[in-house]
Amino acid sequence: MVVIHYTAMTTARAAADTLCNPDTEVSAHYLIAEDGEVLSLVPEAQRAWHAGAGAWGQVTDVNSRSIGIELANTGYTPFAAPQMDALTELLHGLKLRWDIRPERIIGHSDMAPGRKIDPGARFDWRRLALEGLSVWPSSAAGAPSSQENPQEADDARFVALMAAFGYTATPDPAVLLKSFRMRFRPRYNGPLDATDMAMITDLAGRFPVDVNAAWA
């Protein structure tokens, strides 16, 4: 897997100092600065302390199953174009070297919903999906018909579909909805609706989390 983060720090240098300090007990395989400079901090084959508590599908020790990428960003600003260009180049290489499927490139908020929010609502997941480096609901799933009954937005079914896609860290529907929308519908608020249901039904159907995992 790959887990994408933001540093929540003012500069890439400050983030590098933190990530390279053993006393902080936090690390990542890569740090990408705003100008696109890529710093390799931990060898890809070694475990880094970037994920913490959480889960994705059957994986509960995410640190041992993933490569962590930190993006220098406070969490409140858009991600710079050179930084995104460097990220996509890095991800293409990781995908080839480790045979990582696009649905297993996720955000910190995906595997730790409610505890983490990075890479946040400003991160361009759709761009990654268009480059084959992530996944996105089909256009049909994002626009359910006007005849669809809004009562089909059912919390229990939503939680089950989210788990089938990979969100297994919590069964709390409100927490899951917030994390889901942060990634797939960042401009929407309000209760669970038919569009959310259509999107997660599509994603869970096309990308069941553990079916295509490396050990499957």
Side-chain angles (χ1 to χ4, degrees), residues 147-155 157-158 161 192-194 197-198:
Q147 287 78 31
E148 185 167 355
N149 185 349
Q151 295 303 316
E152 291 185 8
D154 173 77
D155 280 349
R157 184 164 171 252
F158 178 71
L161 289 166
L192 178 72
D193 63 25
M197 294 298 298

Side-chain angles (χ1 to χ4, degrees), residues 194-214:
T195 297
D196 298 310
M197 294 298 298
M199 293 171 78
I200 189 56
T201 298
D202 173 72
L203 289 167
R206 289 192 293 138
F207 307 108
V209 61
D210 294 314
V211 170
N212 293 314

Side-chain angles (χ1 to χ4, degrees), residues 85 96 113 184:
D85 292 342
L96 288 173
F184 296 108

Side-chain angles (χ1 to χ4, degrees), residues 113-216:
R115 187 175 71 85
K116 293 294 181 179
I117 62 171
D118 53 316
R122 289 182 174 270
F123 185 75
D124 193 353
W125 284 106
R126 189 175 180 88
R127 170 181 170 168
L128 293 193
L130 290 171
E131 298 202 30
L133 299 171
S134 184
V135 296
W136 196 260
S138 69
S139 57
S145 70
S146 59
Q147 287 78 31
E148 185 167 355
N149 185 349
Q151 295 303 316
E152 291 185 8
D154 173 77
D155 280 349
R157 184 164 171 252
F158 178 71
V159 170
L161 289 166
M162 287 285 280
F165 179 56
Y167 289 86
T168 54
T170 177
D172 186 321
V175 171
L176 289 171
L177 180 60
K178 184 175 180 179
S179 292
F180 179 78
R181 283 187 173 168
M182 193 183 312
R183 178 168 171 181
F184 296 108
R185 299 183 74 194
R187 295 184 299 277
Y188 287 86
N189 295 301
L192 178 72
D193 63 25
T195 297
D196 298 310
M197 294 298 298
M199 293 171 78
I200 189 56
T201 298
D202 173 72
L203 289 167
R206 289 192 293 138
F207 307 108
V209 61
D210 294 314
V211 170
N212 293 314
W215 63 82

Side-chain angles (χ1 to χ4, degrees), residues 33-36 72-73 77-85 127:
E34 297 91 336
D35 62 2
N73 187 286
T77 59
F79 292 84
Q83 188 177 49
M84 290 298 295
D85 292 342
R127 170 181 170 168

Side-chain angles (χ1 to χ4, degrees), residues 22-103:
D23 293 336
T24 64
E25 296 187 345
V26 62
S27 57
H29 296 87
Y30 292 98
L31 168 64
I32 305 179
E34 297 91 336
D35 62 2
E37 180 185 13
V38 179
L39 301 178
S40 176
L41 306 180
V42 177
E44 292 176 7
Q46 294 185 12
R47 188 179 190 271
W49 297 346
H50 64 95
W56 188 250
Q58 294 180 16
V59 177
T60 54
D61 180 4
V62 177
N63 281 327
S64 295
R65 294 272 190 170
S66 63
I67 293 170
I69 301 174
E70 292 274 1
L71 302 175
N73 187 286
T74 63
Y76 300 102
T77 59
F79 292 84
Q83 188 177 49
M84 290 298 295
D85 292 342
L87 173 63
T88 56
E89 182 177 355
L90 175 60
L91 288 173
H92 278 298
L94 292 173
K95 185 179 175 184
L96 288 173
R97 287 192 293 277
W98 294 95
D99 192 25
I100 297 173
R101 296 179 62 89
E103 64 266 31

